[in-house]
Amino acid sequence: MTRVVVITGGAGGMGLATAKIMGRDHQLVLCDNRGDRLEAAAAELSELGMSPTVVHSDVTDRGTMVELFATAAGLGTVSAVVHAAGVSPSMGDAEYVMTTNALGTVHVGEAFFEAASEGAAIVNVASMAAYLVPESFIPTAHFPLAMTDRERFSAEMRTALSIAPEKSRSGMAYGVSKAFVKWYSSSQAERFTGRGLRIVSVSPGSVDTEMGRLEEHAGAGAIVADAAVPRWGRAEEMAELFAFAVGDKAGYLTGTDILNDGGVVASVRERERARVAAQFS
């Protein structure tokens, strides 16, 4: 039976880099909300001898995600999903960022849960930003509402984000939404295991992609300039990790997040510890 991998955000950046790796032994299904970019990605993959199926759809629409997985299941056994679709703070307001990154993850994850076969795995792309938002600012207690009451979830997220100045709200929404991705990938692990499925998340640092560079002059760019590894991460570096996480060799990996940020979070935390210690020395 043909093994199928679904890649959301598959038109560029980390999604396309992952497709180039996983397309060697999987039938590719690429999903993106940018039709022109999808066609370009398909052409690039065709030159590598791959025959991707492209689906122009948006992760914010639960119904189209169900259709996406129905298409994938019609091609073979859905064995892997790399959910790389998402938006950065520069791409929209706080509501848009939260809806796309948080609710989009639920839509993809739940459609995968219903359609995938035993032994399949999904990796959700989070971000190091989830580690840099103070825990007291993350409304984790309200995260489960995303599974049962979308409107109330959105209202609670708006309330939580309202503590930030309006100009900073998209940035905070990004960090909180990626914390949600981590939460979902952990909290649902036992339920997924009950169906023989694995679910993990990966938190990249600042990656040299079109979307990553949108934040070059904001927080991400400043962090790169002062990072433990003082360079941007490469899409290919992230893609290799995504492919491993959903592969057979990672069969014991589930319910956790992998931070792949070049040591940035470790550096930030240690510098803060040293700063606080110096105040009391």
Side-chain angles (χ1 to χ4, degrees):
M1 190 72 170
T2 301
R3 295 201 305 168
V4 180
V5 57
V6 176
I7 303 176
T8 69
M14 294 184 290
L16 180 56
T18 305
K20 291 177 181 178
I21 296 168
M22 298 200 70
R24 299 167 188 163
D25 55 5
H26 288 75
Q27 171 61 45
L28 294 168
V29 176
L30 304 185
C31 160
D32 206 286
N33 64 355
R34 301 170 297 179
D36 57 335
R37 294 290 300 276
L38 267 177
E39 295 303 326
E44 187 172 345
L45 292 167
S46 295
E47 292 179 359
L48 299 175
M50 303 172 188
S51 301
T53 296
V54 298
V55 178
H56 183 202
S57 58
D58 195 314
V59 299
T60 62
D61 186 330
R62 174 71 180 270
T64 64
M65 291 301 99
V66 173
E67 294 172 3
L68 167 67
F69 279 88
T71 297
L75 298 172
T77 301
V78 178
S79 63
V81 177
V82 176
H83 174 40
V87 294
S88 70
S90 295
M91 297 172 70
D93 62 19
E95 185 93 8
Y96 176 66
V97 171
M98 186 63 66
T99 298
T100 303
N101 294 349
L103 290 175
T105 295
V106 173
H107 297 162
V108 173
E110 295 306 299
F112 164 76
F113 182 83
E114 295 297 331
S117 303
E118 183 175 351
I122 180 171
V123 59
N124 295 308
V125 179
S127 169
M128 72 173 179
Y131 288 82
L132 299 175
V133 176
E135 288 189 13
S136 60
F137 291 177
I138 301 175
T140 309
H142 298 302
F143 282 175
L145 289 170
M147 308 289 291
T148 59
D149 190 337
R150 170 176 174 159
E151 294 304 320
R152 187 176 167 201
F153 170 78
S154 296
E156 293 290 356
M157 293 305 105
R158 283 193 295 270
T159 298
L161 295 172
S162 67
I163 66 171
E166 188 168 350
K167 66 179 181 180
S168 303
R169 217 161 282 172
S170 289
M172 185 175 174
Y174 182 75
V176 171
S177 68
K178 291 302 188 177
F180 177 92
V181 175
K182 284 181 57 192
W183 170 85
Y184 177 80
S185 303
S186 174
S187 67
Q188 303 307 305
E190 184 175 356
R191 182 168 69 97
F192 276 51
T193 298
R195 286 208 55 228
L197 308 175
R198 293 190 298 109
I199 178 170
V200 299
S201 59
V202 171
S203 288
S206 297
V207 183
D208 191 5
T209 62
E210 178 185 359
M211 190 175 87
R213 288 291 180 176
L214 288 175
E215 309 305 320
E216 185 168 5
H217 301 295
I223 288 174
V224 169
D226 197 33
V229 177
R231 66 169 174 84
W232 291 75
R234 294 189 292 271
E236 294 76 15
E237 291 173 312
M238 303 301 160
E240 290 286 357
L241 180 54
F242 300 160
F244 172 79
V246 295
D248 296 338
K249 292 182 179 180
Y252 198 54
L253 183 69
T254 194
T256 192
D257 182 75
I258 303 171
L259 178 62
N260 189 18
D261 69 336
V264 170
V265 171
S267 179
V268 168
R269 288 179 173 175
E270 176 56 20
R271 291 178 186 184
E272 177 61 15
R273 183 207 61 78
R275 184 189 68 79
V276 172
Q279 290 181 338
F280 295 95
S281 63

